[in-house]
Amino acid sequence: MERLVTKRFSAHANLHTLFPAQQSAYRLFHSTETAVLKVHNDLVRAIDDCRVSQLVLLDLSVAFDTVDHQILLCVLSDRFGISGTAFNWFQSYLSERTQSFAHAGLTTDYFPVTCSVPQGSVFGPLGFIAYTEDITVLSEKHSVHSHTYADDTQLYDSSTVADAGSVRDRLTRCV
């Protein structure tokens, strides 16, 4: 069931161009190569135009564990237009999850999990992309270029040497 829902969600997002073009992970015809080539090309073009560039590299630790279920459900509803039975499925999929830990023959009690996409799930990667798609909106708001690959984000911009301080300030606001 999860595979079918993920396939349909992906088709819906691709049909309506809901995934950011600047996200190169977990998508057909996107890869680490497309991410590197895009950023490299932008930086080389800036050099050709005698401009200086500033680049901030961000990497979230245990990124999939940072996904808040309620926020993801809001994103799916508000920004991806998921409603009705499909929304109810996602809500059920994320709700009442528990986990416990075992070590040296001892196991903890189960406790609720309100954050993270399920480890090893089929939907997890696309859920994470949906959850973080507003990085592009934020970077555009501050007139900064961005590109992401899964949980790795590159924020960058170029300017004349005289205007480098304003680029630094815009990058800082995005972080």
Side-chain angles (χ1 to χ4, degrees):
M1 182 63 156
E2 183 183 357
R3 288 187 193 285
L4 176 63
V5 170
T6 300
K7 185 176 180 179
R8 289 189 178 177
F9 174 72
S10 180
H12 167 76
N14 289 329
L15 176 67
H16 298 288
T17 320
L18 299 173
F19 290 136
Q22 298 86 356
Q23 170 58 269
S24 290
Y26 314 118
R27 298 172 57 201
L28 193 60
F29 306 118
H30 291 77
S31 66
T32 53
E33 288 179 27
T34 57
V36 169
L37 287 173
K38 171 65 173 132
V39 174
H40 180 265
N41 183 61
D42 289 350
L43 296 176
V44 168
R45 290 181 70 194
I47 292 168
D48 289 345
D49 292 339
C50 297
R51 299 168 68 83
V52 295
S53 297
Q54 296 179 46
L55 171 68
V56 176
L57 303 172
L58 305 171
D59 183 12
L60 291 173
S61 296
V62 291
F64 281 25
D65 292 341
T66 65
V67 177
D68 181 280
H69 293 171
Q70 291 307 309
I71 294 173
L72 177 57
L73 289 170
C74 286
V75 167
L76 293 175
S77 172
D78 298 346
R79 296 201 296 257
F80 281 77
I82 306 298
S83 61
T85 304
F87 181 79
N88 293 340
W89 184 90
F90 283 111
Q91 195 169 31
S92 173
Y93 175 76
L94 293 170
S95 68
E96 298 182 28
R97 289 193 170 268
T98 60
Q99 68 182 21
S100 68
F101 296 95
H103 177 70
L106 299 173
T107 303
T108 65
D109 290 336
Y110 285 90
F111 59 94
V113 177
T114 59
C115 284
S116 84
V117 287
Q119 298 295 321
S121 67
V122 175
F123 174 71
L126 290 185
F128 183 78
I129 289 175
Y131 185 75
T132 59
E133 62 86 28
D134 62 344
I135 290 173
T136 301
V137 174
L138 178 64
S139 65
E140 288 172 356
K141 177 182 171 185
H142 294 289
S143 301
V144 171
H145 298 284
S146 68
H147 204 92
T148 55
Y149 183 85
D151 65 336
D152 296 321
T153 301
Q154 298 82 41
L155 301 172
Y156 59 98
D157 204 3
S158 303
S159 68
T160 63
V161 173
D163 292 333
S166 68
V167 170
R168 182 193 63 241
D169 292 342
R170 288 196 318 270
L171 287 170
T172 303
R173 283 192 297 271
C174 283
V175 177

